[in-house]
Amino acid sequence: MSLSRRGFLQGSAASLAIAFYVPTVAKALPKLGPPAPPPNAFLRIGADDSVTVVLAHSEMGQGIWTGLAMLIAEELECDWAKVRCEHAPAAPVYGHPMMGMQMTGGSSTTNGEFQRYRMVGAVARDMLVRAAAARWKTKPAKCTVASGVVTAGKQRATFGELAEAAMKLTPSADVKLKDPTAWRLIGTPVRRLDTPEKITGRA
């Protein structure tokens, strides 16, 4: 891939990254500086409205490349067509939340990550909504989110347009997850995100 310095800055300057953590792994790591847990994985929202999920587990045919992304997308209310995934590198911070080590197996990925990945999507959505509300000088409760767009009356902004401002906000420690009766994506049949990667050989 050919990427210019200008292109890199344009693509990275306005993006929202949400980190989530593995407390058990964090306790086992040496304390370097402030006592904060290391990031386990990241949700990145780019200025181009792309949503990238970095997976701490390996796609080995079981479908987590798609399944885990669906968990985040459900709560985030993004455009599923803009979602893509990346495998995380090998590092202690990507330890399995139930096993305490970086691993994939035992049909434990979805079970272990079900709550955490949804929470990441909910936190990101909350930050984007607050960024929109601040821009329009209204209350977050008056904003709605659907398919990667935040609206309030006649006001409208895409996730990519809000990402830079949202990144500057402090993540809320109290966000509410959707009730299962409100799910629109989880449990529905979708095309697997890893299929093009396998067909082209990129995987």
Side-chain angles (χ1 to χ4, degrees):
M1 179 179 69
S2 177
L3 182 65
S4 67
R5 179 176 180 274
R6 179 182 295 274
F8 172 79
L9 292 175
Q10 288 176 334
S12 61
S15 63
L16 170 64
I18 303 295
F20 50 113
Y21 309 100
V22 184
T24 55
V25 174
K27 292 177 182 178
L29 293 174
K31 297 190 182 306
L32 303 174
N40 175 30
F42 298 91
L43 162 64
R44 298 197 305 269
I45 299 176
D48 60 353
D49 295 328
S50 62
V51 176
T52 303
V53 179
V54 182
L55 301 178
H57 304 271
S58 296
E59 170 61 63
M60 300 187 293
Q62 77 279 44
I64 63 168
W65 188 278
T66 304
L68 294 186
M70 289 174 72
L71 299 179
I72 285 182
E74 179 68 70
E75 297 291 342
L76 183 60
E77 293 285 7
C78 63
D79 180 354
W80 178 250
K82 301 291 182 65
V83 177
R84 58 195 183 200
C85 292
E86 297 176 3
H87 274 133
V93 293
Y94 293 109
H96 193 298
M98 297 167 63
M99 309 298 183
M101 67 178 76
Q102 187 172 1
M103 61 159 288
T104 303
S107 299
S108 62
T109 296
T110 302
N111 181 46
E113 300 290 7
F114 191 76
Q115 185 80 0
R116 182 166 60 172
Y117 271 60
R118 290 171 58 215
M119 184 61 69
V120 171
V123 168
R125 184 190 69 240
D126 175 74
M127 294 172 71
L128 290 161
V129 166
R130 285 190 284 134
R135 174 182 293 188
W136 301 327
K137 295 180 173 56
T138 188
K139 295 181 180 180
K142 293 186 177 182
C143 298
T144 58
V145 186
S147 298
V149 178
V150 182
T151 59
K154 295 182 179 180
Q155 304 277 18
R156 178 184 185 278
T158 67
F159 282 2
E161 293 170 336
L162 296 168
E164 185 175 11
M167 180 177 60
K168 299 175 182 178
L169 301 177
T170 301
S172 176
D174 183 23
V175 294
K176 185 177 180 180
L177 296 176
K178 283 184 179 181
D179 186 274
T181 58
W183 289 347
R184 298 180 182 180
L185 188 60
I186 294 176
T188 64
V190 299
R191 291 184 178 182
R192 288 178 56 146
L193 299 179
D194 57 321
T195 301
E197 299 286 323
K198 293 176 178 177
I199 292 174
T200 61
R202 286 195 301 267

